[in-house]
Amino acid sequence: QVQLVESGGGLVQPGGSLRLSCAASGIIFSTAAMGWYRQAPGKQRELVALIFSGGSANYADSAKDRFTISRDNAKNTVFLQMNRLEPEDTAVYYCNALGRTLLRGTASYWGQGTQVTVSS
């Protein structure tokens, strides 16, 4: 029922920028906490950024000062603006929602992921 669809990934050179988008449906978006996670080959999935319903945000140390998470509740969409990208940022980036549906209490949902590759 809940769907999270990421977009915006691709190949970018070091120092470049990308903006990821995650369009959510089937969830009460305005009260959901939304997050971006990433997973590089052979590594654990890790939190990149988290934004709460009120707009406050948390970032991984590696993302602070380079990445910005934001949300547009009218469009049920969360964004991740990534600047000054580094090869170490290469990973599959996943959107996550923690929230409620009309028929279910609080649960966690994942998107399918979008590949970000930073390489010269």
Side-chain angles (χ1 to χ4, degrees):
Q1 186 79 312
V2 175
Q3 290 191 89
L4 305 174
V5 181
E6 301 98 331
S7 61
L11 175 64
V12 65
Q13 293 186 344
S17 298
L18 285 173
R19 191 180 79 154
L20 306 183
S21 298
C22 172
S25 61
I27 194 169
I28 304 175
F29 186 85
S30 62
T31 57
M34 304 295 300
W36 286 99
Y37 294 72
R38 68 187 182 188
Q39 188 166 24
K43 295 186 177 181
Q44 298 277 346
R45 188 172 299 187
E46 63 177 358
L47 175 69
V48 177
L50 180 67
I51 187 167
F52 297 94
S53 60
S56 61
N58 293 334
Y59 297 91
D61 287 342
S62 60
K64 290 179 179 177
D65 303 319
R66 297 190 300 126
F67 295 2
T68 302
I69 189 170
S70 61
R71 65 194 295 160
D72 186 339
N73 287 347
K75 297 181 178 180
N76 288 358
T77 302
V78 64
F79 305 95
L80 184 68
Q81 178 67 47
M82 304 187 293
N83 299 322
R84 303 191 305 279
L85 284 161
E86 304 168 353
E88 293 75 19
D89 296 316
T90 296
V92 177
Y93 283 70
Y94 296 91
C95 180
N96 175 265
L98 180 65
R100 302 172 181 269
T101 70
L102 291 176
L103 300 176
R104 189 175 178 179
T106 301
S108 180
Y109 305 91
W110 293 94
Q112 81 288 347
T114 185
Q115 176 71 49
V116 172
T117 302
V118 184
S119 177
S120 59

